[in-house]
Amino acid sequence: MKRVDLIVIGAGPAGLSAAIEASKRGVKTIVFDENARPGGQLFKQIHKFFGSKEHRAKIRGYIIGEQLLKEAGDAGVEVKLNATVMGIYPDKEVLVRIGDKVEHIKADAIIVATGASENMVPFKGWTLPGVIGAGAAQTMMNLHGVRPGKRILMLGTGNVGLVVSFQLRQAGCEVVALADAAPKIGGYGVHAAKLARTGIPFYLPYTIKEVEGTDHVEGVTIQKLDDKFQFIEGTEIHFDVDTVCIAVGLSPMSQLMKVAGCEMKEAGGTVPVIDAHGETSIPGIFAAGDVSGIEEASSAMIEGRQAGIYAAEYLGYIEKSEMDSEEEKLDSALDNLREGMFAPKNRGKKIEKTEEGIDISTNLLQKGYVADDEIGRFPGYTHKVGIHPVVECTQNIPCNPCEDTCVKKCIHIGPHITKLPVVDPASECIDCGMCVASCPGQAIFLVNEDTGDGRATVTFPYEFLPLPEVGDKGMALDRSGKPVCEAEIVKVRTGKAFDKTNLVTMSVPKEFAMKARFIDTRISDASRD
C-alpha cells in the first residue's frame, strides 16, 4: 500500500493551492481529481477576477489555473487525474480508482477540496435535451469550443448566471432574456450592467412555467410570481429558444466527508463542521473551498493555501509560530474579500445604502442597469473638460485594479477595497485605457464630452467578435441597451497589456456623451424605428 504525508482530494483552485503550500514546506503530497485535466472550474472561467493583486485580480480564470499548475509542478506536487476517490476510511486510508485500477493509499493528513455541484429546478419539460446547467454550458464553450445553442434563456441572475450569459453572448449565442424568481438581481451589478447595455432584458420575479418541445427544446414560457412565489395569471411570456440554461445556485460536494464520519451541519447545503483551522471533527482531515461553504474562487484559493499550511503544521513540518504568521496574512486577504454588499454576513439582508451612505440603485437590482436619474449620485460619475474616466461601479465590491493600473492616479479607492471608486478631478488622464481594460466588471469608460465639433467620444471595453473597424457606423446604445443616437467608430485599440479586452472608441453627438455606452453596428439610423 502506497503511503504519503498528505492526500488532497480535488485539483481545483482550493486543492491546488493547498497542495502547493504544503509541498513548499516539504510535505510529500499527492492530489487526486476525477477529471481529465486539473484546475477545477478555473479553466472554464475566461473572465477577469475581482479583488486586488494578492487575490490575482484582473487575471482571467484560465490563466490563474495555468499559474497554479506551474506552481504545483515547481513545488513537486504529484497530481493524479482520472482518479475518482470512492471513500475515506479509518486511519486516513483512501480508496481511489485510477483508470481501471482501484488502489488503497494511506496518509497522515487529508485535505478535501471537492468543490460544489450545480443545483437544478424541476418544471414541466425540464428533462428535455437542451435544458442544461450553466456550468455545463461553460464546459461546452470554454473547454470544447462548442456553442450550447443558438437562442438561449438563462434562469438565474446570481454571478454564475450573469457571467455565463455574457460568455454565451461572446460565443455568438443570442441570449433572449434572463429570468429569476427572486425580486432582485443576485449577482454583481457590473456583471448585469454589461449585459443590459447590449440589449439583453431581465425579468424579475419570473420563473419558468414550461419548456416546450417533443424530443428537444423548442420554446419556453416564463411567468411572474407574487410575494408568495405563486404564479400570477395572465403574466406568461413566451420565447422561441433551443436551449434553456439553469443557474440557480450550487451545493457543496461533501459526500466523502459524510462517509468518512465527519460531523456535518446544514448551511447552504450539507457541510462539515470545521474549526478555525479548517479541521473537521476527525483530527487530520481538513476542508477547503466550496465543500465547506459556497464562495468565490478567489476565496477558495486563500482557504486552500491556509489548509495546506495548517496540514503542514499538523504533520510537524513547520512550527506553530510560522503557521500563525502566515495565517494572519491570509486571514487579512480573506477578510477583504468577505466585505462589502456581497459579504457572507450580508446574505439575505436588504441593503439600501452603500458604505458611503449613498442610496443604492433600485433600477440596477430590478432591470440590470443604473437609471439616468440615479447614476449622478455615485462618485465615479464625473464631468470634466477633455478625456476623463467615468466609473460606473455603484456597489461595494472588493476590487481595486482600476486604482492599481492608473499611472496618473486618476482613480482612488484606498486601503478598504470595497469602497466605491472616486475620480480625482485634479488629475490628468492620458487616455492610456488601462483602467478600462483592467476593470473586471467592464464598468469604466473614457469620455471626452466635447471634441469641439459638436460631438463627443466614448471609449468602452469590447470582448465580442467580430471586432468593429474604424469607420463602422451604427447606433449607440444606452445603459439599458436602447438605441439613443447614431455613432461612428473612430478608434480601435488592442494590445498585450489589455489581455484580450479591446478598447473601442465611438463618436456621438455631444449631448449623448454621458448616456452612450455601447454600439450596435447592425442598426443604422434609417432602421432605428
Side-chain angles (χ1 to χ4, degrees):
M1 181 184 296
K2 184 174 181 178
R3 189 176 189 93
V4 295
D5 295 327
L6 173 66
I7 291 173
V8 178
I9 305 173
L16 286 176
S17 298
I20 290 166
E21 292 298 327
S23 293
K24 281 163 53 176
R25 290 161 174 81
V27 180
K28 185 179 179 181
T29 305
I30 187 168
V31 179
F32 294 120
D33 194 285
E34 64 183 358
N35 297 299
R37 59 186 299 184
Q41 302 300 312
L42 287 172
F43 285 96
K44 300 180 185 180
Q45 296 174 344
I46 62 174
H47 57 281
K48 296 178 180 179
F49 274 37
F50 291 82
S52 61
K53 275 185 177 179
E54 62 188 339
H55 308 119
R56 303 180 194 249
K58 75 175 182 177
I59 302 175
R60 298 185 188 275
Y62 72 92
I63 295 176
I64 295 174
E66 292 169 354
Q67 293 173 344
L68 289 178
L69 289 178
K70 184 179 184 305
E71 290 177 35
D74 293 344
V77 176
E78 182 181 2
V79 179
K80 292 284 189 180
L81 301 176
N82 294 311
T84 303
V85 174
M86 298 185 288
I88 301 174
Y89 299 97
D91 299 323
K92 302 181 186 67
E93 180 180 337
V94 167
L95 183 67
V96 56
R97 178 176 178 176
I98 305 174
D100 295 328
K101 296 181 179 180
V102 175
E103 299 182 19
H104 293 259
I105 300 175
K106 294 195 74 171
D108 295 315
I110 296 173
I111 296 175
V112 181
T114 43
S117 60
E118 292 190 278
N119 295 336
M120 290 299 289
V121 57
F123 43 77
K124 187 176 180 181
W126 75 295
T127 59
L128 277 172
V131 178
I132 60 175
Q138 266 193 318
T139 299
M140 293 172 71
M141 292 184 293
N142 302 338
L143 293 184
H144 304 298
V146 176
R147 283 195 306 183
K150 294 180 180 179
R151 287 175 54 85
I152 301 172
L153 179 128
M154 176 67 70
L155 180 66
T157 61
N159 278 335
V160 173
L162 298 175
V163 168
V164 174
S165 292
F166 192 77
Q167 293 175 3
L168 286 165
R169 176 82 165 73
Q170 289 176 306
C173 306
E174 180 183 356
V175 180
V176 299
L178 287 90
D180 200 309
K184 65 179 183 179
I185 291 169
Y188 290 172
V190 287
H191 282 323
K194 67 186 184 184
L195 288 169
R197 65 176 173 257
T198 68
I200 299 174
F202 289 78
Y203 291 89
L204 292 85
Y206 276 80
T207 194
I208 294 174
K209 178 182 181 181
E210 178 182 2
V211 170
E212 299 98 13
T214 51
D215 57 356
H216 64 277
V217 173
E218 297 176 2
V220 60
T221 298
I222 62 173
Q223 192 167 358
K224 194 171 186 178
L225 300 171
D226 61 21
D227 57 3
K228 296 181 180 179
F229 293 95
Q230 299 298 310
F231 285 124
I232 300 174
E233 291 299 324
T235 60
E236 296 89 347
I237 302 173
H238 175 83
F239 297 94
D240 290 326
V241 298
D242 56 25
T243 306
V244 172
C245 271
I246 310 297
V248 291
L250 304 169
S251 293
M253 295 180 65
S254 58
Q255 296 90 335
L256 281 173
M257 310 198 83
K258 188 174 183 180
V259 169
C262 299
E263 183 182 351
M264 309 295 286
K265 66 178 182 179
E266 290 297 320
T270 304
V271 299
V273 175
I274 56 175
D275 65 12
H277 291 164
E279 191 171 18
T280 68
S281 59
I282 299 178
I285 296 183
F286 300 82
D290 283 349
V291 72
S292 59
I294 307 299
E295 291 191 73
E296 299 293 326
S298 298
S299 299
M301 287 187 284
I302 297 174
E303 287 186 357
R305 292 178 62 189
Q306 288 179 320
I309 292 167
Y310 298 149
E313 192 274 338
Y314 173 84
L315 294 168
Y317 281 84
I318 60 173
E319 297 295 330
K320 186 177 184 300
S321 58
E322 180 181 346
M323 181 189 75
D324 291 342
S325 175
E326 291 295 322
E327 180 182 35
E328 184 177 355
K329 290 185 289 186
L330 292 172
D331 275 346
S332 176
L334 196 55
D335 287 344
N336 282 337
L337 289 175
R338 289 174 172 170
E339 292 296 324
M341 294 179 176
F342 296 88
K345 63 184 178 183
N346 288 328
R347 287 174 183 165
K349 294 182 180 179
K350 185 178 181 180
I351 308 295
E352 297 183 341
K353 293 184 180 293
T354 69
E355 291 177 10
E356 297 79 7
I358 303 170
D359 290 340
I360 64 169
S361 166
T362 54
N363 206 76
L364 176 66
L365 297 179
Q366 295 168 358
K367 298 181 181 179
Y369 62 93
V370 182
D372 289 345
D373 61 354
E374 297 174 320
I375 191 66
R377 60 180 180 244
F378 297 98
Y381 187 83
T382 56
H383 295 277
K384 186 181 177 182
V385 175
I387 294 176
H388 61 281
V390 176
V391 187
E392 300 189 357
C393 181
T394 64
Q395 294 177 321
N396 300 119
I397 298 169
C399 191
N400 70 357
C402 55
E403 177 185 65
D404 186 55
T405 58
C406 182
V407 296
K408 290 296 184 178
K409 305 303 178 185
C410 297
I411 303 172
H412 300 279
I413 291 177
H416 199 231
I417 66 171
T418 58
K419 288 290 186 181
L420 293 178
V422 175
V423 176
D424 181 1
S427 62
E428 181 181 355
C429 176
I430 59 174
D431 193 26
C432 69
M434 287 303 300
C435 61
V436 179
S438 67
C439 176
Q442 299 192 10
I444 302 179
F445 308 85
L446 295 179
V447 180
N448 187 340
E449 297 180 52
D450 189 349
T451 56
D453 55 357
R455 300 186 70 79
T457 58
V458 180
T459 299
F460 55 94
Y462 198 91
E463 292 188 356
F464 302 110
L465 293 175
L467 188 63
E469 297 180 357
V470 173
D472 286 352
K473 296 180 180 180
M475 293 301 300
L477 309 182
D478 66 8
R479 296 177 190 87
S480 71
K482 177 184 176 182
V484 290
C485 65
E486 50 81 23
E488 180 178 353
I489 304 299
V490 295
K491 186 188 295 185
V492 177
R493 285 180 276 177
T494 62
K496 186 175 181 181
F498 297 159
D499 188 19
K500 297 181 175 61
T501 298
N502 308 294
L503 272 56
V504 173
T505 303
M506 62 181 170
S507 172
V508 298
K510 68 177 186 180
E511 59 265 33
F512 295 103
M514 303 304 279
K515 290 187 176 182
R517 290 296 177 262
F518 200 67
I519 191 171
D520 192 335
T521 55
R522 299 169 302 176
I523 306 175
S524 66
D525 194 32
S527 64
R528 179 179 174 184
D529 297 325

